[in-house]
Structures are given as C-alpha cells and as structure tokens.
Amino acid sequence: MSSLAFVLVFAAAVSHAAWNVIAHGVSRAGVPFLWWGAVGGTAFWIGAIPFTGGLGTDDLGGFLLGVGVSAALHVVYMAVLQRGYQEGNLSTVYATARGTGPFLSVIVAVLLLGERPSVVALIGVAAVIVGVVAIGLVDRGGDRVFDLGLVFGLLTGVAIAAYTIWDANAVRTWSLSPVAFMVGTMVLEIPFYTLGVRRRWDAVAALWRTQWRRIVAFSVLSPLSYILVLTAIQIAPVALVAPLREVSVVLVSLFGVLVLKEDRPGWRLGASVVVVAGIVLLAL
C-alpha cells in the first residue's frame, strides 16, 4: 500500500471514530439524528463538488445508479448501527461490526474483484480482524447466551461489507468523484429518513436546539471519513483499505475505557495492540 493511501485511510479512521463517539452520545434520538446528519452533510459538502472534479464522469446514469444503491445500503447500515447502540455497549457493537465488515469485504474483494493481496498483507488483515473481534467479545459474560448488541453488531458488519464492495466497484467503474458520490448518497438518504421521521418534526426541531453542536460535527466528520476511504480505494485494494480503517476501533475502545469507564480495560487495550500490529504489517 502506498504512503498516500495509508495516510488517507488512517485519517478516515480518526474521523470515523470521532463521529461514532458523537453518534453514541445521542443514539436514542434515532431517525431524527440521522435526518439531520444527511441534511447537514449535504449542506456542508455540496459546495465542494465543483472544486473536487465535479461528478467525475459524463455517465449520469452510472452516477445515479451508483449513489442510489449506495444510499439504500447506507440507510440500512445506519439504522442497524443505531439500534445496536441502544441494545449494547459502545465497544461491543462498534468493534463487532468493524470486524465482520472487513472480513467479508476481503473475501468478496478476492473472489469477485480479483484482488490479490500479499501474504504479509493478509497476515496483517487477519491480525486486525482478530483484534477487533476480541474487543467485541469483551462484554459477553458466560451466562449471556443471547446478546442483542452482538447480533446487531454482526448485522451492521454485513451492511458494511455490502456498501464497501458496491461503492468501491461504482467509484472505479464509472470513475466517480468521491465527494460528489458521497453528497449524492446523502441527498438520496434524506427521503428515507424523512419517511422515518413521519410526524415527529417537533422531535427533530428539539434535537437541533439541544444537540446542534453534535449534529454539525457529525455532518462534517461522517462524510469526510468516507470521502477519504473512497479516495484511497481508487489507488489501493479494497482488501487492504477495508481492514486498515479499523484502527478506529482502537480509538473508540480507548474512549470506552477512559471516558465511559467500561470494564475489563486490560483486555480491551490488549486486543487493541493486536489491531495495531496488524496495521503495521499492512503498512509494510
């Protein structure tokens, strides 16, 4: 992986961890928060399109198909993730999702996209996934046979793999601009979330009055993290980019230990070290 791709993905991971911490803080707001995220993200980033290559293509049909499918997949992802945050601990849901997602993405990238990572890179991928899953299993006690947080984390991972592979293929196939692709996706998400809000516009307004700082931060950081990933995917294999962005799990785990005071900090930090080791192998 090139140095530029590595920096792009690492920056994306930092942004991604930040917005997940923010979303966890207002997760009980549900759809109204997601509505504000789509509207705010569109408003903030749409002005950057003319300065970042426009649509990146003259194939309007390809652009609309790409963002249309992506929007549907992202709506599913966000809905399942938000539900998971309501059912389980931050570290469990986030880490399980971020472990399942790249695992499936690597398999599909190798089988369908024809990517062939080196042996060292694959060892790094394995280390990242093992460390992430280890963090996700921390909160499972011996008497907890059915863990809803873990279940929704796994479902979120499937959604992550689906949108990662689709978006990578769309951006590459139609040579789409990452910024325009992200904005187009958010624009098409707005009707979905509007339907979800229904008659709760008073809750939407109240959320802005009490949480506008978090909404603004989310509107900037969430699209930014994925724009950086889409840019990296254009110059590096999905099979390497998808796992590498999971350094965000380390950051979220640290937040869970230091700020939320979640239990078993030694296990969480030890698993995070495994993730870092995998990242080092990917960098090499």
Side-chain angles (χ1 to χ4, degrees):
M1 179 180 288
S2 68
S3 299
L4 175 59
F6 185 87
V7 171
L8 287 171
V9 181
F10 187 84
V14 173
S15 297
H16 197 276
W19 83 249
N20 268 270
V21 168
I22 293 169
H24 181 262
V26 291
S27 62
R28 294 187 182 278
V31 178
F33 179 73
L34 299 179
W35 186 89
W36 274 118
V39 172
T42 299
F44 183 86
W45 287 99
I46 195 169
I49 293 178
F51 306 100
T52 53
L55 298 183
T57 181
D58 295 327
D59 188 351
L60 183 59
F63 177 82
L64 292 176
L65 176 61
V67 299
V69 175
S70 180
L73 293 174
H74 275 83
V75 167
V76 172
Y77 158 66
M78 292 297 291
V80 177
L81 178 65
Q82 289 287 302
R83 176 62 185 277
Y85 281 161
Q86 294 175 14
E87 298 291 346
N89 285 343
L90 170 64
S91 293
T92 298
V93 177
Y94 184 78
T96 304
R98 303 316 302 184
T100 307
F103 174 72
L104 297 175
S105 297
V106 169
I107 292 176
V108 176
V110 171
L111 295 180
L112 297 185
L113 301 185
E115 297 183 355
R116 296 294 181 267
S118 68
V119 174
V120 172
L122 287 176
I123 293 174
V125 167
V128 169
I129 293 173
V130 168
V132 167
V133 172
I135 294 173
L137 295 176
V138 171
D139 298 307
R140 295 202 68 190
D143 58 340
R144 296 177 69 183
V145 178
F146 186 74
D147 188 335
L148 272 180
L150 191 61
V151 170
F152 279 102
L154 292 172
L155 291 175
T156 304
V158 173
I160 290 170
Y163 77 64
T164 297
I165 295 300
W166 172 262
D167 292 354
N169 186 62
V171 169
R172 291 172 176 176
T173 300
W174 292 297
S175 301
L176 305 179
S177 164
V179 173
F181 185 86
M182 188 71 250
V183 171
T185 298
M186 290 187 292
V187 167
L188 294 183
E189 287 174 358
I190 294 174
F192 287 100
Y193 295 139
T194 299
L195 288 175
V197 171
R198 294 172 186 164
R199 299 178 181 178
R200 293 184 293 158
W201 293 107
D202 54 338
V204 173
L207 184 65
W208 174 259
R209 289 194 298 270
T210 59
Q211 302 291 345
W212 68 267
R213 292 179 180 84
R214 287 179 171 177
I215 290 172
V216 170
F218 178 75
S219 299
V220 175
L221 294 175
S222 179
L224 173 62
S225 67
Y226 203 55
I227 287 169
L228 293 172
V229 168
L230 292 174
T231 303
I233 283 175
Q234 293 178 320
I235 59 177
V238 178
L240 300 185
V241 172
L244 181 56
R245 61 187 295 219
E246 305 320 324
V247 67
S248 58
V249 174
V250 177
L251 303 177
V252 173
S253 184
L254 289 174
F255 178 83
V257 169
L258 300 177
V259 179
L260 301 182
K261 305 301 181 182
E262 294 181 347
D263 60 359
R264 303 183 71 183
W267 178 286
R268 298 179 194 279
L269 297 179
S272 297
V273 170
V274 175
V275 175
V276 173
I279 291 169
V280 171
L281 291 176
L282 286 173
L284 295 177

